[in-house]
Amino acid sequence: MFSFLDRPKAMAVSEIKQMFPYRLATTILDIGFGRGEFLKALASTGYFRLSGTELSLKMVLALQNKLPAALITGPRDLSLVTTDIVGCFEVIEHVEDPVRFLKELPRGFLFLSTPNPRRWWVRLTGQYEAWDFPPSHLHRFSKDKLRE
């Protein structure tokens, strides 16, 4: 249904629809929303208590135009935010202290993804892509590392 979404976001939307059917009451925060596909997909299925944060001012302005009813901002203090659901897709590999970052997230059901360090390109070539090194990506997470 949401062919424009990557797999983790599509799976999250599907699970949210099942676990949180009360669309009018469910609050959703997407941290590091990028182009906003996750929030747009949720809006298209009837969720409207949406908010998101993003470092890129260009992306913030673009999504504010596409989802004017949502609270779309640049970086902000999330310690006072209350929400039912937190989306955090392809973000933790960029932050200096992922453990502290996760501890500081608002409480809520967390949907999180990060690049697979054993993705097809790495298995095929034995090398990581140029974007998978600092200053862009500071960490790589295996399943065990994520559990830790």
Side-chain angles (χ1 to χ4, degrees):
M1 179 174 172
F2 297 106
S3 59
F4 60 94
L5 290 177
D6 61 30
R7 188 166 181 216
K9 291 174 187 160
M11 290 171 59
V13 169
S14 178
E15 287 189 38
I16 288 168
K17 287 168 52 181
Q18 291 177 16
M19 295 170 55
F20 295 88
Y22 304 105
R23 290 171 170 84
L24 298 178
T26 303
T27 57
I28 303 168
L29 168 66
D30 191 9
I31 298 171
F33 59 74
R35 291 186 304 271
E37 299 99 343
F38 179 61
L39 292 172
K40 288 186 265 186
L42 290 164
S44 74
T45 62
Y47 293 92
F48 76 96
R49 295 183 67 191
L50 304 172
S51 62
T53 65
E54 173 58 51
L55 291 176
S56 167
L57 179 59
K58 178 181 174 184
M59 297 298 193
V60 168
L61 295 173
L63 194 58
Q64 284 173 336
N65 289 332
K66 291 179 183 169
L67 290 176
L71 174 60
I72 305 300
T73 69
R76 67 177 195 229
D77 180 8
L78 298 175
S79 64
L80 300 176
V81 173
T82 58
T83 188
D84 297 310
I85 299 164
V86 176
C88 190
F89 302 96
E90 312 296 310
V91 172
I92 65 167
E93 66 274 8
H94 296 273
V95 299
E96 194 171 312
D97 187 345
V99 172
R100 189 180 95 226
F101 172 78
L102 291 172
K103 285 180 179 178
E104 292 175 355
L105 290 179
R107 296 291 173 241
F109 196 89
L110 176 64
F111 289 90
L112 179 137
S113 69
T114 188
N116 182 346
R118 300 211 9 89
R119 59 192 166 274
W120 70 270
W121 178 259
V122 177
R123 288 192 316 256
L124 180 69
T125 66
Q127 298 178 357
Y128 289 99
E129 300 91 329
W131 52 261
D132 199 16
F133 290 95
S136 181
H137 289 180
L138 305 178
H139 307 278
R140 293 190 188 107
F141 294 94
S142 64
K143 284 183 183 180
D144 291 337
K145 192 68 172 170
L146 280 174
R147 283 188 192 104
E148 182 186 313

